[in-house]
Amino acid sequence: MAIVGALVVLLLLSAVHWYLWKRLVADVSAPGGVYRRVGTVVLVVMPVTTVLFQFGATFGLPFEVEKAVAWPGSYWMAVLLYLLLSLAMGEVLRPLVLRVLRRRDARRVERAGVPGEAAEAEVSAQSVAEREDEPVTVGAAGGPGQGAGSAGLPDAPERQAVSAGQADDVPGRTPEGVPGRTEPDRRQFVARTVAAGAGLVAAGTVGYGSYRFRQLTTKHVRVPLAKLPRAAHGYRIAVVSDIHLSAILGSSHSRRIVDAINRSQPDLITVVGDMVDAEVSDLRSAAAPLAELEAADGAYFVTGNHEYYVDTLEWVDHVRELGMIPLENARVELPFFDLAGVNDVQGEGTAHGGPDFEAALGDRDRQRASVLMAHQPVLIHDAVDAGVDLQLSGHTHGGQMWPVTYVADLANPTLAGLERYGDTQLYVSRGAGAWGPPVRVGADPDITVIELASTQT
């Protein structure tokens, strides 16, 4: 089954890149030209780097090789998305633009004195003459060899002037160099316009998204809890998710996150999963700044789905070495509320195990406020059943790149922000990192400071 799935993905990837080659290379260039050769090489090499970036560890590639292909491979994922979207829009506009150009060229030829059906033949004949750099004589019905006075055509000297590149001197003629003079010319003009437009849109969007990814924001959200004692009013919980340390996001990325969290001076730090995308041996230095997280009541960690694509137990042990406390279907009683954490659903069937709400919350005092760390928002319904007051989650990235936001919204009960489900509130962070390309479009990265508010008088 895995082989069949891989073949399907390979065929789909090949079909997509053949389409890109057709629209961005073949339709806009001549065979054997430099542009066509370079474009063909690019559209063969780039998807290979993407595959190696995503599956390099599976293929047994050294981590240094993964890092080498990470930048082109990851960014190509984003470029590919916006190229396809732009070209899809181009497919809608292409016939409309061609129709406009056909009518424009027909009117110009008619103004030159060529009626009705002879207009297109006149344009075609003139185009051939211009390419061959010699005059052509066209009759009223478009046939060669007709007399100079036929059907109101200009006399021979005028036609020679047009074919010799002196169109501007002949009243009513379309100036030389105006695209769309013949059907092939029109089609190539539209193809080049669409290709250039798609390239500009993709490059501009990915460039903007790359910039936005580096604009990590700190959000402040006030959450009232009925069971919270007045002494805990204003208690601050820093929430960070989806850091995604990887071949492309290293120590500078984790340093930026640590500095932002520490500046907020929280009472408690919660890291709610998807911290890493590679093994401990590969990311030890990248994760090192996380040891500097500072909060009076400590820093806690739960697994996300990506922790199960690597050696989970090794990472849980390393999290302890970094000074964080893993909550593996466990709970701690803090002075003002209970803090619980459950494993991610991806852990079901593994040695580490999936979520176990009974183990984490079964014997707690329900008169105390409870806060649950659970990577995926889909666990909210279990949290409601368990009587949790506030669930902290990530996983969605807020969609990361529009229009993927719509897909992520459909797949999760809450895409981002604070929502209420019965007596339980759910807060979903957009995350501080990125999966795949370090690009954010319409879903800025963030850490969140939750300020708990007591409703007791």
Side-chain angles (χ1 to χ4, degrees), residues 127-161:
S127 179
V128 170
E130 289 165 3
R131 287 195 295 269
E132 295 178 354
D133 199 27
E134 63 184 39
V136 62
T137 304
V138 181
Q146 299 284 340
S150 300
L153 287 174
D155 58 15
E158 284 186 348
R159 289 194 298 278
Q160 291 173 358

Side-chain angles (χ1 to χ4, degrees), residues 388-409:
V388 169
D389 296 295
L390 173 64
Q391 176 178 317
L392 305 176
S393 297
H395 183 64
T396 69
H397 296 209
Q400 187 168 326
M401 294 188 298
W402 183 93
V404 181
T405 46
Y406 300 117
V407 178
D409 194 20

Side-chain angles (χ1 to χ4, degrees), residues 64-420:
E64 291 304 316
V65 176
E66 290 184 56
K67 290 170 69 174
V69 300
W71 285 99
S74 64
Y75 273 105
W76 182 246
M77 295 169 66
V79 171
L80 181 62
L81 171 65
Y82 292 110
L83 278 177
L84 290 174
L85 290 173
S86 301
L87 288 173
M89 183 61 68
E91 298 296 351
V92 175
L93 296 177
R94 188 184 305 268
L96 302 178
V97 175
L98 280 172
R99 180 178 298 180
V100 170
L101 292 177
R102 290 187 189 111
R103 290 178 177 177
R104 184 202 68 176
D105 292 340
R107 286 196 300 268
R108 288 184 176 182
V109 174
E110 287 174 3
R111 285 199 299 268
V114 182
E117 297 179 357
E120 182 66 24
E122 173 75 358
V123 175
S124 299
Q126 289 176 19
S127 179
V128 170
E130 289 165 3
R131 287 195 295 269
E132 295 178 354
D133 199 27
E134 63 184 39
V136 62
T137 304
V138 181
Q146 299 284 340
S150 300
L153 287 174
D155 58 15
E158 284 186 348
R159 289 194 298 278
Q160 291 173 358
V162 171
S163 62
Q166 302 171 20
D168 291 342
D169 298 330
V170 182
R173 294 295 186 183
T174 303
E176 183 182 9
V178 174
R181 299 188 66 177
T182 67
E183 185 65 13
D185 290 338
R186 283 191 287 267
R187 289 184 177 276
Q188 187 175 71
F189 169 71
V190 173
R192 287 177 173 176
T193 301
V194 170
L200 289 173
V201 168
T205 305
V206 172
Y208 168 79
S210 180
Y211 168 77
R212 293 308 309 172
F213 170 75
R214 287 161 176 79
Q215 309 308 304
L216 181 65
T217 59
T218 300
K219 301 176 66 176
H220 295 264
V221 178
R222 188 172 182 271
V223 179
L225 296 180
K227 299 175 185 177
L228 189 73
R230 286 188 57 80
H233 187 81
Y235 190 95
R236 296 157 61 85
I237 304 174
V239 183
V240 61
S241 73
D242 302 281
I243 297 173
H244 284 290
L245 297 176
S246 64
I248 198 169
L249 298 177
S251 58
S252 61
H253 175 58
S254 58
R255 167 60 60 192
R256 181 166 61 248
I257 293 168
V258 168
D259 290 345
I261 292 174
N262 288 345
R263 278 197 302 269
S264 69
Q265 298 181 329
D267 299 298
L268 173 71
I269 298 171
T270 58
V271 181
V272 288
D274 278 9
M275 189 176 78
V276 296
D277 281 321
E279 302 295 343
V280 172
S281 58
D282 299 324
L283 295 178
R284 190 179 298 274
S285 62
L290 296 173
E292 300 176 28
L293 288 170
E294 298 177 354
D297 288 334
Y300 291 82
F301 168 85
V302 292
T303 55
N305 53 305
H306 281 248
E307 271 75 46
Y308 295 94
Y309 305 146
V310 293
D311 190 327
T312 311
L313 297 178
E314 186 178 11
W315 265 113
V316 170
D317 288 340
H318 190 61
V319 162
R320 291 191 181 93
E321 294 174 8
L322 291 171
M324 290 182 278
I325 302 171
L327 291 178
E328 304 168 88
N329 295 323
R331 180 182 77 257
V332 294
E333 294 183 359
L334 297 176
F336 304 118
F337 59 89
D338 292 345
L339 178 67
V342 292
N343 297 347
D344 187 69
V345 294
Q346 189 70 33
E348 294 176 348
T350 70
H352 191 244
D356 186 338
F357 279 80
E358 182 61 29
L361 295 161
D363 59 348
R364 74 179 186 87
D365 179 2
R366 292 199 171 217
Q367 299 303 310
R368 285 170 56 86
S370 59
V371 177
L372 174 70
M373 297 169 59
H375 176 65
Q376 298 198 39
V378 293
L379 291 176
I380 182 59
H381 305 296
D382 296 291
V384 171
D385 293 341
V388 169
D389 296 295
L390 173 64
Q391 176 178 317
L392 305 176
S393 297
H395 183 64
T396 69
H397 296 209
Q400 187 168 326
M401 294 188 298
W402 183 93
V404 181
T405 46
Y406 300 117
V407 178
D409 194 20
L410 291 173
N412 294 277
T414 296
L415 181 65
L418 183 68
E419 288 190 354
R420 177 177 287 277

